[in-house]
Amino acid sequence: MATKVREEVIKTTEQPQSQEIDSKYRLIILAAKRSKQLQRGARPRIDIDPTKHKPTRIALEEVVQGKVQFHTTTDGNEDAGEES
């Protein structure tokens, strides 16, 4: 399972869906923050069965598909936000 996620990260960072995801580190940080939101009860933004997939996998797929909105600041801090 870990190799599957690792392959997805490598594939995604080679051809990013969003120009703002400029590194695999940013991708991982965004997916981790979104995964925490999912674990706290947020609903998935993609059509996927949450009983068959872990929150980390769902979050990574959401980031890859561009369903997670975020912005970066000029002081080096980044913030993944959920706009309702």
Side-chain angles (χ1 to χ4, degrees), residues 9 12 17 25 27 33 39 46-47 64 66 72 74-76:
V9 169
T12 302
Q17 299 289 327
Y25 304 107
L27 174 68
K33 288 183 178 188
Q39 290 172 2
I46 58 175
D47 187 25
V64 168
T72 56
T74 56
D75 63 353

Side-chain angles (χ1 to χ4, degrees), residues 11-13 16 24 32 35-37 45 52 55 72-73 82:
K11 184 175 80 172
T12 302
T13 55
K24 59 185 172 185
S35 178
K36 286 182 184 179
Q37 292 175 345
R45 296 180 178 175
K52 294 183 180 178
T72 56
T73 58
E82 187 174 277

Side-chain angles (χ1 to χ4, degrees), residues 6-65:
R6 191 175 331 159
E7 290 172 2
E8 183 71 26
V9 169
I10 291 170
K11 184 175 80 172
T12 302
T13 55
E14 288 174 356
Q15 296 178 354
Q17 299 289 327
S18 171
Q19 291 186 4
E20 292 185 54
I21 300 178
D22 55 351
S23 71
K24 59 185 172 185
Y25 304 107
R26 186 175 316 279
L27 174 68
I28 296 302
I29 290 169
L30 288 170
K33 288 183 178 188
R34 179 62 182 150
S35 178
K36 286 182 184 179
Q37 292 175 345
L38 291 167
Q39 290 172 2
R40 292 181 180 143
R43 294 186 181 204
R45 296 180 178 175
I46 58 175
D47 187 25
I48 194 167
D49 186 3
T51 60
K52 294 183 180 178
H53 299 281
K54 294 183 178 180
T56 51
R57 179 67 185 149
I58 296 170
L60 182 61
E61 192 62 34
E62 287 180 347
V63 173
V64 168
Q65 290 184 18

Side-chain angles (χ1 to χ4, degrees), residues 71-84:
H71 67 277
T72 56
T73 58
T74 56
D75 63 353
N77 294 329
E78 53 188 81
D79 184 32
E82 187 174 277
E83 295 182 23
S84 300

